[in-house]
Amino acid sequence: MGRGRTVAAAVGPPPAARHHGNRHGRSEQARQAVLEAADDLLVEKGFTGVTIEGIAARAGVAKQTVYRWWKTKTDVLLDAFLQDAAEALTPPDHGDLAQDLRAHLRQLALFLTRSDAGAVFKALIGHAQHDPAFAAALRSGYLDEQRRRDRLPLERAVARGQLAAGLDMAAEIDQLVGPVHHRVLMTAEPVDQEFTDRLVAAFLRRADVVDLADAGEAGSR
């Protein structure tokens, strides 16, 4: 399975493939090979089984090549995860808030539960509990940036006049994506489409937004 790819193509078009070219020459090709190798090794061997030596061997590069860009294996894994998240977790723009949120939460759930990148995320969260400096890097590199991406459907809806401008976006984002992360990291309960769609439906009720899909179905009866 690809690093950030999920098994459910129905959610929307898959993230762009990472190796369709080599814009930056051999160095970029080697760098991407290292990121791919780190993901693969973590899925196969777990966090403790990943080493710089093993990453270099799997990528087909010298160990010094890895150290040219990263100091530790967690730095490699974090870079790999950040790249995957940027590709896979940018919300779509269908011109409708409900549709955008349903697609985004479904993709987030699939990304975290059924992709190699999701396994990397869980490992990084675990490591962050014992390394405050890394926890800060994870927060600034992923969590802060992902919250910016999570806000995009709401900000676009405000611009369209579909959503009130005074909405507490931070609180609403917590209620939309927080339960997904809670199930992934804490309870291991299913994070299926029914679950994520319920989160969206609850938000639409709180925000008093008409679900255009529901309205269309009602009008066709």
mmCIF file with all atom_site columns, all heavy atoms in Angstrom, residues 125-150:
data_model
loop_
_atom_site.group_PDB
_atom_site.id
_atom_site.type_symbol
_atom_site.label_atom_id
_atom_site.label_alt_id
_atom_site.label_comp_id
_atom_site.label_asym_id
_atom_site.label_entity_id
_atom_site.label_seq_id
_atom_site.pdbx_PDB_ins_code
_atom_site.Cartn_x
_atom_site.Cartn_y
_atom_site.Cartn_z
_atom_site.occupancy
_atom_site.B_iso_or_equiv
_atom_site.pdbx_formal_charge
_atom_site.auth_seq_id
_atom_site.auth_comp_id
_atom_site.auth_asym_id
_atom_site.auth_atom_id
_atom_site.pdbx_PDB_model_num
ATOM 1   N N   . ILE A 1 125 ? 3.026   9.814  17.738 1.00 0.00 ? 125 ILE A N   1
ATOM 2   C CA  . ILE A 1 125 ? 2.287   10.275 18.913 1.00 0.00 ? 125 ILE A CA  1
ATOM 3   C C   . ILE A 1 125 ? 2.819   9.574  20.165 1.00 0.00 ? 125 ILE A C   1
ATOM 4   O O   . ILE A 1 125 ? 3.012   10.191 21.220 1.00 0.00 ? 125 ILE A O   1
ATOM 5   C CB  . ILE A 1 125 ? 0.784   9.995  18.755 1.00 0.00 ? 125 ILE A CB  1
ATOM 6   C CG1 . ILE A 1 125 ? 0.174   10.957 17.728 1.00 0.00 ? 125 ILE A CG1 1
ATOM 7   C CG2 . ILE A 1 125 ? 0.052   10.112 20.085 1.00 0.00 ? 125 ILE A CG2 1
ATOM 8   C CD1 . ILE A 1 125 ? 0.069   12.387 18.176 1.00 0.00 ? 125 ILE A CD1 1
ATOM 9   N N   . GLY A 1 126 ? 3.074   8.267  20.056 1.00 0.00 ? 126 GLY A N   1
ATOM 10  C CA  . GLY A 1 126 ? 3.621   7.530  21.186 1.00 0.00 ? 126 GLY A CA  1
ATOM 11  C C   . GLY A 1 126 ? 4.987   8.049  21.594 1.00 0.00 ? 126 GLY A C   1
ATOM 12  O O   . GLY A 1 126 ? 5.259   8.248  22.792 1.00 0.00 ? 126 GLY A O   1
ATOM 13  N N   . HIS A 1 127 ? 5.857   8.284  20.618 1.00 0.00 ? 127 HIS A N   1
ATOM 14  C CA  . HIS A 1 127 ? 7.194   8.781  20.926 1.00 0.00 ? 127 HIS A CA  1
ATOM 15  C C   . HIS A 1 127 ? 7.137   10.166 21.552 1.00 0.00 ? 127 HIS A C   1
ATOM 16  O O   . HIS A 1 127 ? 7.945   10.498 22.441 1.00 0.00 ? 127 HIS A O   1
ATOM 17  C CB  . HIS A 1 127 ? 8.040   8.815  19.653 1.00 0.00 ? 127 HIS A CB  1
ATOM 18  C CG  . HIS A 1 127 ? 9.436   9.292  19.869 1.00 0.00 ? 127 HIS A CG  1
ATOM 19  N ND1 . HIS A 1 127 ? 10.389  8.546  20.525 1.00 0.00 ? 127 HIS A ND1 1
ATOM 20  C CD2 . HIS A 1 127 ? 10.041  10.473 19.544 1.00 0.00 ? 127 HIS A CD2 1
ATOM 21  C CE1 . HIS A 1 127 ? 11.528  9.220  20.585 1.00 0.00 ? 127 HIS A CE1 1
ATOM 22  N NE2 . HIS A 1 127 ? 11.335  10.393 19.998 1.00 0.00 ? 127 HIS A NE2 1
ATOM 23  N N   . ALA A 1 128 ? 6.187   10.979 21.118 1.00 0.00 ? 128 ALA A N   1
ATOM 24  C CA  . ALA A 1 128 ? 6.079   12.351 21.623 1.00 0.00 ? 128 ALA A CA  1
ATOM 25  C C   . ALA A 1 128 ? 5.784   12.400 23.116 1.00 0.00 ? 128 ALA A C   1
ATOM 26  O O   . ALA A 1 128 ? 6.108   13.391 23.785 1.00 0.00 ? 128 ALA A O   1
ATOM 27  C CB  . ALA A 1 128 ? 4.999   13.106 20.856 1.00 0.00 ? 128 ALA A CB  1
ATOM 28  N N   . GLN A 1 129 ? 5.189   11.338 23.651 1.00 0.00 ? 129 GLN A N   1
ATOM 29  C CA  . GLN A 1 129 ? 4.881   11.326 25.085 1.00 0.00 ? 129 GLN A CA  1
ATOM 30  C C   . GLN A 1 129 ? 6.138   11.303 25.938 1.00 0.00 ? 129 GLN A C   1
ATOM 31  O O   . GLN A 1 129 ? 6.108   11.670 27.123 1.00 0.00 ? 129 GLN A O   1
ATOM 32  C CB  . GLN A 1 129 ? 4.007   10.101 25.437 1.00 0.00 ? 129 GLN A CB  1
ATOM 33  C CG  . GLN A 1 129 ? 2.770   9.931  24.574 1.00 0.00 ? 129 GLN A CG  1
ATOM 34  C CD  . GLN A 1 129 ? 1.974   11.205 24.416 1.00 0.00 ? 129 GLN A CD  1
ATOM 35  O OE1 . GLN A 1 129 ? 1.552   11.798 25.401 1.00 0.00 ? 129 GLN A OE1 1
ATOM 36  N NE2 . GLN A 1 129 ? 1.763   11.628 23.173 1.00 0.00 ? 129 GLN A NE2 1
ATOM 37  N N   . HIS A 1 130 ? 7.262   10.874 25.360 1.00 0.00 ? 130 HIS A N   1
ATOM 38  C CA  . HIS A 1 130 ? 8.504   10.732 26.123 1.00 0.00 ? 130 HIS A CA  1
ATOM 39  C C   . HIS A 1 130 ? 9.591   11.707 25.664 1.00 0.00 ? 130 HIS A C   1
ATOM 40  O O   . HIS A 1 130 ? 10.709  11.654 26.172 1.00 0.00 ? 130 HIS A O   1
ATOM 41  C CB  . HIS A 1 130 ? 9.033   9.300  25.991 1.00 0.00 ? 130 HIS A CB  1
ATOM 42  C CG  . HIS A 1 130 ? 7.996   8.259  26.271 1.00 0.00 ? 130 HIS A CG  1
ATOM 43  N ND1 . HIS A 1 130 ? 7.535   7.985  27.537 1.00 0.00 ? 130 HIS A ND1 1
ATOM 44  C CD2 . HIS A 1 130 ? 7.297   7.441  25.438 1.00 0.00 ? 130 HIS A CD2 1
ATOM 45  C CE1 . HIS A 1 130 ? 6.608   7.042  27.489 1.00 0.00 ? 130 HIS A CE1 1
ATOM 46  N NE2 . HIS A 1 130 ? 6.446   6.701  26.226 1.00 0.00 ? 130 HIS A NE2 1
ATOM 47  N N   . ASP A 1 131 ? 9.258   12.566 24.707 1.00 0.00 ? 131 ASP A N   1
ATOM 48  C CA  . ASP A 1 131 ? 10.270  13.470 24.150 1.00 0.00 ? 131 ASP A CA  1
ATOM 49  C C   . ASP A 1 131 ? 9.618   14.836 23.940 1.00 0.00 ? 131 ASP A C   1
ATOM 50  O O   . ASP A 1 131 ? 9.022   15.099 22.890 1.00 0.00 ? 131 ASP A O   1
ATOM 51  C CB  . ASP A 1 131 ? 10.780  12.906 22.819 1.00 0.00 ? 131 ASP A CB  1
ATOM 52  C CG  . ASP A 1 131 ? 11.944  13.701 22.241 1.00 0.00 ? 131 ASP A CG  1
ATOM 53  O OD1 . ASP A 1 131 ? 12.068  14.892 22.568 1.00 0.00 ? 131 ASP A OD1 1
ATOM 54  O OD2 . ASP A 1 131 ? 12.718  13.124 21.450 1.00 0.00 ? 131 ASP A OD2 1
ATOM 55  N N   . PRO A 1 132 ? 9.708   15.729 24.925 1.00 0.00 ? 132 PRO A N   1
ATOM 56  C CA  . PRO A 1 132 ? 9.041   17.028 24.824 1.00 0.00 ? 132 PRO A CA  1
ATOM 57  C C   . PRO A 1 132 ? 9.461   17.846 23.603 1.00 0.00 ? 132 PRO A C   1
ATOM 58  O O   . PRO A 1 132 ? 8.636   18.530 22.998 1.00 0.00 ? 132 PRO A O   1
ATOM 59  C CB  . PRO A 1 132 ? 9.435   17.739 26.124 1.00 0.00 ? 132 PRO A CB  1
ATOM 60  C CG  . PRO A 1 132 ? 9.755   16.628 27.078 1.00 0.00 ? 132 PRO A CG  1
ATOM 61  C CD  . PRO A 1 132 ? 10.350  15.535 26.242 1.00 0.00 ? 132 PRO A CD  1
ATOM 62  N N   . ALA A 1 133 ? 10.738  17.786 23.249 1.00 0.00 ? 133 ALA A N   1
ATOM 63  C CA  . ALA A 1 133 ? 11.204  18.555 22.090 1.00 0.00 ? 133 ALA A CA  1
ATOM 64  C C   . ALA A 1 133 ? 10.561  18.026 20.814 1.00 0.00 ? 133 ALA A C   1
ATOM 65  O O   . ALA A 1 133 ? 10.126  18.798 19.945 1.00 0.00 ? 133 ALA A O   1
ATOM 66  C CB  . ALA A 1 133 ? 12.724  18.490 21.985 1.00 0.00 ? 133 ALA A CB  1
ATOM 67  N N   . PHE A 1 134 ? 10.481  16.702 20.709 1.00 0.00 ? 134 PHE A N   1
ATOM 68  C CA  . PHE A 1 134 ? 9.830   16.132 19.524 1.00 0.00 ? 134 PHE A CA  1
ATOM 69  C C   . PHE A 1 134 ? 8.336   16.422 19.535 1.00 0.00 ? 134 PHE A C   1
ATOM 70  O O   . PHE A 1 134 ? 7.742   16.669 18.483 1.00 0.00 ? 134 PHE A O   1
ATOM 71  C CB  . PHE A 1 134 ? 10.068  14.620 19.449 1.00 0.00 ? 134 PHE A CB  1
ATOM 72  C CG  . PHE A 1 134 ? 9.388   13.996 18.266 1.00 0.00 ? 134 PHE A CG  1
ATOM 73  C CD1 . PHE A 1 134 ? 9.907   14.159 16.992 1.00 0.00 ? 134 PHE A CD1 1
ATOM 74  C CD2 . PHE A 1 134 ? 8.211   13.279 18.416 1.00 0.00 ? 134 PHE A CD2 1
ATOM 75  C CE1 . PHE A 1 134 ? 9.269   13.617 15.885 1.00 0.00 ? 134 PHE A CE1 1
ATOM 76  C CE2 . PHE A 1 134 ? 7.567   12.733 17.321 1.00 0.00 ? 134 PHE A CE2 1
ATOM 77  C CZ  . PHE A 1 134 ? 8.094   12.898 16.055 1.00 0.00 ? 134 PHE A CZ  1
ATOM 78  N N   . ALA A 1 135 ? 7.722   16.399 20.720 1.00 0.00 ? 135 ALA A N   1
ATOM 79  C CA  . ALA A 1 135 ? 6.293   16.711 20.811 1.00 0.00 ? 135 ALA A CA  1
ATOM 80  C C   . ALA A 1 135 ? 6.020   18.112 20.283 1.00 0.00 ? 135 ALA A C   1
ATOM 81  O O   . ALA A 1 135 ? 5.024   18.337 19.572 1.00 0.00 ? 135 ALA A O   1
ATOM 82  C CB  . ALA A 1 135 ? 5.824   16.585 22.257 1.00 0.00 ? 135 ALA A CB  1
ATOM 83  N N   . ALA A 1 136 ? 6.882   19.059 20.595 1.00 0.00 ? 136 ALA A N   1
ATOM 84  C CA  . ALA A 1 136 ? 6.712   20.425 20.096 1.00 0.00 ? 136 ALA A CA  1
ATOM 85  C C   . ALA A 1 136 ? 6.870   20.468 18.584 1.00 0.00 ? 136 ALA A C   1
ATOM 86  O O   . ALA A 1 136 ? 6.127   21.179 17.882 1.00 0.00 ? 136 ALA A O   1
ATOM 87  C CB  . ALA A 1 136 ? 7.727   21.350 20.759 1.00 0.00 ? 136 ALA A CB  1
ATOM 88  N N   . ALA A 1 137 ? 7.822   19.698 18.060 1.00 0.00 ? 137 ALA A N   1
ATOM 89  C CA  . ALA A 1 137 ? 8.018   19.661 16.606 1.00 0.00 ? 137 ALA A CA  1
ATOM 90  C C   . ALA A 1 137 ? 6.815   19.032 15.911 1.00 0.00 ? 137 ALA A C   1
ATOM 91  O O   . ALA A 1 137 ? 6.390   19.494 14.843 1.00 0.00 ? 137 ALA A O   1
ATOM 92  C CB  . ALA A 1 137 ? 9.289   18.885 16.275 1.00 0.00 ? 137 ALA A CB  1
ATOM 93  N N   . LEU A 1 138 ? 6.252   18.004 16.511 1.00 0.00 ? 138 LEU A N   1
ATOM 94  C CA  . LEU A 1 138 ? 5.068   17.358 15.933 1.00 0.00 ? 138 LEU A CA  1
ATOM 95  C C   . LEU A 1 138 ? 3.883   18.313 15.957 1.00 0.00 ? 138 LEU A C   1
ATOM 96  O O   . LEU A 1 138 ? 3.115   18.393 14.994 1.00 0.00 ? 138 LEU A O   1
ATOM 97  C CB  . LEU A 1 138 ? 4.742   16.082 16.709 1.00 0.00 ? 138 LEU A CB  1
ATOM 98  C CG  . LEU A 1 138 ? 3.514   15.296 16.248 1.00 0.00 ? 138 LEU A CG  1
ATOM 99  C CD1 . LEU A 1 138 ? 3.675   14.824 14.810 1.00 0.00 ? 138 LEU A CD1 1
ATOM 100 C CD2 . LEU A 1 138 ? 3.263   14.105 17.177 1.00 0.00 ? 138 LEU A CD2 1
ATOM 101 N N   . ARG A 1 139 ? 3.738   19.038 17.058 1.00 0.00 ? 139 ARG A N   1
ATOM 102 C CA  . ARG A 1 139 ? 2.637   19.989 17.174 1.00 0.00 ? 139 ARG A CA  1
ATOM 103 C C   . ARG A 1 139 ? 2.741   21.070 16.105 1.00 0.00 ? 139 ARG A C   1
ATOM 104 O O   . ARG A 1 139 ? 1.774   21.384 15.417 1.00 0.00 ? 139 ARG A O   1
ATOM 105 C CB  . ARG A 1 139 ? 2.633   20.626 18.565 1.00 0.00 ? 139 ARG A CB  1
ATOM 106 C CG  . ARG A 1 139 ? 1.386   20.313 19.369 1.00 0.00 ? 139 ARG A CG  1
ATOM 107 C CD  . ARG A 1 139 ? 1.317   21.074 20.683 1.00 0.00 ? 139 ARG A CD  1
ATOM 108 N NE  . ARG A 1 139 ? 2.581   21.400 21.296 1.00 0.00 ? 139 ARG A NE  1
ATOM 109 C CZ  . ARG A 1 139 ? 3.195   20.656 22.195 1.00 0.00 ? 139 ARG A CZ  1
ATOM 110 N NH1 . ARG A 1 139 ? 2.684   19.491 22.561 1.00 0.00 ? 139 ARG A NH1 1
ATOM 111 N NH2 . ARG A 1 139 ? 4.326   21.040 22.724 1.00 0.00 ? 139 ARG A NH2 1
ATOM 112 N N   . SER A 1 140 ? 3.917   21.663 15.982 1.00 0.00 ? 140 SER A N   1
ATOM 113 C CA  . SER A 1 140 ? 4.064   22.772 15.038 1.00 0.00 ? 140 SER A CA  1
ATOM 114 C C   . SER A 1 140 ? 4.085   22.284 13.599 1.00 0.00 ? 140 SER A C   1
ATOM 115 O O   . SER A 1 140 ? 3.574   22.955 12.700 1.00 0.00 ? 140 SER A O   1
ATOM 116 C CB  . SER A 1 140 ? 5.345   23.558 15.339 1.00 0.00 ? 140 SER A CB  1
ATOM 117 O OG  . SER A 1 140 ? 6.497   22.738 15.176 1.00 0.00 ? 140 SER A OG  1
ATOM 118 N N   . GLY A 1 141 ? 4.655   21.103 13.374 1.00 0.00 ? 141 GLY A N   1
ATOM 119 C CA  . GLY A 1 141 ? 4.777   20.606 12.007 1.00 0.00 ? 141 GLY A CA  1
ATOM 120 C C   . GLY A 1 141 ? 3.503   20.005 11.460 1.00 0.00 ? 141 GLY A C   1
ATOM 121 O O   . GLY A 1 141 ? 3.180   20.181 10.277 1.00 0.00 ? 141 GLY A O   1
ATOM 122 N N   . TYR A 1 142 ? 2.769   19.282 12.313 1.00 0.00 ? 142 TYR A N   1
ATOM 123 C CA  . TYR A 1 142 ? 1.556   18.617 11.823 1.00 0.00 ? 142 TYR A CA  1
ATOM 124 C C   . TYR A 1 142 ? 0.277   19.186 12.431 1.00 0.00 ? 142 TYR A C   1
ATOM 125 O O   . TYR A 1 142 ? -0.609  19.635 11.704 1.00 0.00 ? 142 TYR A O   1
ATOM 126 C CB  . TYR A 1 142 ? 1.604   17.118 12.109 1.00 0.00 ? 142 TYR A CB  1
ATOM 127 C CG  . TYR A 1 142 ? 0.261   16.450 11.883 1.00 0.00 ? 142 TYR A CG  1
ATOM 128 C CD1 . TYR A 1 142 ? -0.294  16.385 10.613 1.00 0.00 ? 142 TYR A CD1 1
ATOM 129 C CD2 . TYR A 1 142 ? -0.481  15.930 12.951 1.00 0.00 ? 142 TYR A CD2 1
ATOM 130 C CE1 . TYR A 1 142 ? -1.548  15.811 10.397 1.00 0.00 ? 142 TYR A CE1 1
ATOM 131 C CE2 . TYR A 1 142 ? -1.715  15.352 12.751 1.00 0.00 ? 142 TYR A CE2 1
ATOM 132 C CZ  . TYR A 1 142 ? -2.245  15.288 11.466 1.00 0.00 ? 142 TYR A CZ  1
ATOM 133 O OH  . TYR A 1 142 ? -3.481  14.732 11.263 1.00 0.00 ? 142 TYR A OH  1
ATOM 134 N N   . LEU A 1 143 ? 0.168   19.182 13.747 1.00 0.00 ? 143 LEU A N   1
ATOM 135 C CA  . LEU A 1 143 ? -1.110  19.496 14.368 1.00 0.00 ? 143 LEU A CA  1
ATOM 136 C C   . LEU A 1 143 ? -1.569  20.914 14.037 1.00 0.00 ? 143 LEU A C   1
ATOM 137 O O   . LEU A 1 143 ? -2.734  21.132 13.684 1.00 0.00 ? 143 LEU A O   1
ATOM 138 C CB  . LEU A 1 143 ? -1.016  19.288 15.878 1.00 0.00 ? 143 LEU A CB  1
ATOM 139 C CG  . LEU A 1 143 ? -0.700  17.847 16.312 1.00 0.00 ? 143 LEU A CG  1
ATOM 140 C CD1 . LEU A 1 143 ? -0.558  17.757 17.816 1.00 0.00 ? 143 LEU A CD1 1
ATOM 141 C CD2 . LEU A 1 143 ? -1.779  16.890 15.820 1.00 0.00 ? 143 LEU A CD2 1
ATOM 142 N N   . ASP A 1 144 ? -0.659  21.885 14.131 1.00 0.00 ? 144 ASP A N   1
ATOM 143 C CA  . ASP A 1 144 ? -1.043  23.252 13.814 1.00 0.00 ? 144 ASP A CA  1
ATOM 144 C C   . ASP A 1 144 ? -1.415  23.389 12.342 1.00 0.00 ? 144 ASP A C   1
ATOM 145 O O   . ASP A 1 144 ? -2.407  24.037 11.994 1.00 0.00 ? 144 ASP A O   1
ATOM 146 C CB  . ASP A 1 144 ? 0.095   24.223 14.154 1.00 0.00 ? 144 ASP A CB  1
ATOM 147 C CG  . ASP A 1 144 ? 0.356   24.318 15.652 1.00 0.00 ? 144 ASP A CG  1
ATOM 148 O OD1 . ASP A 1 144 ? -0.486  23.822 16.432 1.00 0.00 ? 144 ASP A OD1 1
ATOM 149 O OD2 . ASP A 1 144 ? 1.404   24.876 16.040 1.00 0.00 ? 144 ASP A OD2 1
ATOM 150 N N   . GLU A 1 145 ? -0.626  22.785 11.472 1.00 0.00 ? 145 GLU A N   1
ATOM 151 C CA  . GLU A 1 145 ? -0.909  22.870 10.045 1.00 0.00 ? 145 GLU A CA  1
ATOM 152 C C   . GLU A 1 145 ? -2.177  22.124 9.675  1.00 0.00 ? 145 GLU A C   1
ATOM 153 O O   . GLU A 1 145 ? -2.963  22.576 8.840  1.00 0.00 ? 145 GLU A O   1
ATOM 154 C CB  . GLU A 1 145 ? 0.282   22.316 9.246  1.00 0.00 ? 145 GLU A CB  1
ATOM 155 C CG  . GLU A 1 145 ? 0.127   22.393 7.740  1.00 0.00 ? 145 GLU A CG  1
ATOM 156 C CD  . GLU A 1 145 ? 0.007   23.815 7.202  1.00 0.00 ? 145 GLU A CD  1
ATOM 157 O OE1 . GLU A 1 145 ? 0.353   24.766 7.932  1.00 0.00 ? 145 GLU A OE1 1
ATOM 158 O OE2 . GLU A 1 145 ? -0.435  23.971 6.045  1.00 0.00 ? 145 GLU A OE2 1
ATOM 159 N N   . GLN A 1 146 ? -2.413  20.983 10.325 1.00 0.00 ? 146 GLN A N   1
ATOM 160 C CA  . GLN A 1 146 ? -3.630  20.237 10.013 1.00 0.00 ? 146 GLN A CA  1
ATOM 161 C C   . GLN A 1 146 ? -4.869  20.984 10.489 1.00 0.00 ? 146 GLN A C   1
ATOM 162 O O   . GLN A 1 146 ? -5.910  20.944 9.825  1.00 0.00 ? 146 GLN A O   1
ATOM 163 C CB  . GLN A 1 146 ? -3.583  18.836 10.624 1.00 0.00 ? 146 GLN A CB  1
ATOM 164 C CG  . GLN A 1 146 ? -4.731  17.938 10.185 1.00 0.00 ? 146 GLN A CG  1
ATOM 165 C CD  . GLN A 1 146 ? -4.833  17.824 8.665  1.00 0.00 ? 146 GLN A CD  1
ATOM 166 O OE1 . GLN A 1 146 ? -3.822  17.668 7.984  1.00 0.00 ? 146 GLN A OE1 1
ATOM 167 N NE2 . GLN A 1 146 ? -6.038  17.909 8.134  1.00 0.00 ? 146 GLN A NE2 1
ATOM 168 N N   . ARG A 1 147 ? -4.774  21.662 11.591 1.00 0.00 ? 147 ARG A N   1
ATOM 169 C CA  . ARG A 1 147 ? -5.914  22.468 12.038 1.00 0.00 ? 147 ARG A CA  1
ATOM 170 C C   . ARG A 1 147 ? -6.214  23.569 11.024 1.00 0.00 ? 147 ARG A C   1
ATOM 171 O O   . ARG A 1 147 ? -7.381  23.907 10.782 1.00 0.00 ? 147 ARG A O   1
ATOM 172 C CB  . ARG A 1 147 ? -5.648  23.066 13.420 1.00 0.00 ? 147 ARG A CB  1
ATOM 173 C CG  . ARG A 1 147 ? -5.786  22.044 14.537 1.00 0.00 ? 147 ARG A CG  1
ATOM 174 C CD  . ARG A 1 147 ? -5.593  22.657 15.902 1.00 0.00 ? 147 ARG A CD  1
ATOM 175 N NE  . ARG A 1 147 ? -6.700  23.524 16.274 1.00 0.00 ? 147 ARG A NE  1
ATOM 176 C CZ  . ARG A 1 147 ? -7.866  23.077 16.765 1.00 0.00 ? 147 ARG A CZ  1
ATOM 177 N NH1 . ARG A 1 147 ? -8.076  21.779 16.903 1.00 0.00 ? 147 ARG A NH1 1
ATOM 178 N NH2 . ARG A 1 147 ? -8.813  23.923 17.110 1.00 0.00 ? 147 ARG A NH2 1
ATOM 179 N N   . ARG A 1 148 ? -5.174  24.127 10.416 1.00 0.00 ? 148 ARG A N   1
ATOM 180 C CA  . ARG A 1 148 ? -5.404  25.116 9.366  1.00 0.00 ? 148 ARG A CA  1
ATOM 181 C C   . ARG A 1 148 ? -6.148  24.484 8.187  1.00 0.00 ? 148 ARG A C   1
ATOM 182 O O   . ARG A 1 148 ? -7.096  25.073 7.642  1.00 0.00 ? 148 ARG A O   1
ATOM 183 C CB  . ARG A 1 148 ? -4.071  25.700 8.885  1.00 0.00 ? 148 ARG A CB  1
ATOM 184 C CG  . ARG A 1 148 ? -4.227  26.815 7.848  1.00 0.00 ? 148 ARG A CG  1
ATOM 185 C CD  . ARG A 1 148 ? -2.910  27.122 7.154  1.00 0.00 ? 148 ARG A CD  1
ATOM 186 N NE  . ARG A 1 148 ? -2.466  26.006 6.340  1.00 0.00 ? 148 ARG A NE  1
ATOM 187 C CZ  . ARG A 1 148 ? -2.965  25.723 5.132  1.00 0.00 ? 148 ARG A CZ  1
ATOM 188 N NH1 . ARG A 1 148 ? -3.942  26.430 4.611  1.00 0.00 ? 148 ARG A NH1 1
ATOM 189 N NH2 . ARG A 1 148 ? -2.486  24.692 4.451  1.00 0.00 ? 148 ARG A NH2 1
ATOM 190 N N   . ARG A 1 149 ? -5.735  23.263 7.806  1.00 0.00 ? 149 ARG A N   1
ATOM 191 C CA  . ARG A 1 149 ? -6.428  22.589 6.706  1.00 0.00 ? 149 ARG A CA  1
ATOM 192 C C   . ARG A 1 149 ? -7.850  22.221 7.098  1.00 0.00 ? 149 ARG A C   1
ATOM 193 O O   . ARG A 1 149 ? -8.786  22.335 6.289  1.00 0.00 ? 149 ARG A O   1
ATOM 194 C CB  . ARG A 1 149 ? -5.648  21.333 6.285  1.00 0.00 ? 149 ARG A CB  1
ATOM 195 C CG  . ARG A 1 149 ? -4.356  21.631 5.553  1.00 0.00 ? 149 ARG A CG  1
ATOM 196 C CD  . ARG A 1 149 ? -3.746  20.377 4.956  1.00 0.00 ? 149 ARG A CD  1
ATOM 197 N NE  . ARG A 1 149 ? -3.169  19.499 5.947  1.00 0.00 ? 149 ARG A NE  1
ATOM 198 C CZ  . ARG A 1 149 ? -1.877  19.424 6.225  1.00 0.00 ? 149 ARG A CZ  1
ATOM 199 N NH1 . ARG A 1 149 ? -1.010  20.221 5.612  1.00 0.00 ? 149 ARG A NH1 1
ATOM 200 N NH2 . ARG A 1 149 ? -1.430  18.572 7.124  1.00 0.00 ? 149 ARG A NH2 1
ATOM 201 N N   . ASP A 1 150 ? -8.041  21.771 8.335  1.00 0.00 ? 150 ASP A N   1
ATOM 202 C CA  . ASP A 1 150 ? -9.380  21.393 8.792  1.00 0.00 ? 150 ASP A CA  1
ATOM 203 C C   . ASP A 1 150 ? -10.360 22.568 8.740  1.00 0.00 ? 150 ASP A C   1
ATOM 204 O O   . ASP A 1 150 ? -11.568 22.370 8.566  1.00 0.00 ? 150 ASP A O   1
ATOM 205 C CB  . ASP A 1 150 ? -9.324  20.855 10.231 1.00 0.00 ? 150 ASP A CB  1
ATOM 206 C CG  . ASP A 1 150 ? -8.612  19.519 10.345 1.00 0.00 ? 150 ASP A CG  1
ATOM 207 O OD1 . ASP A 1 150 ? -8.561  18.780 9.345  1.00 0.00 ? 150 ASP A OD1 1
ATOM 208 O OD2 . ASP A 1 150 ? -8.090  19.223 11.436 1.00 0.00 ? 150 ASP A OD2 1
#
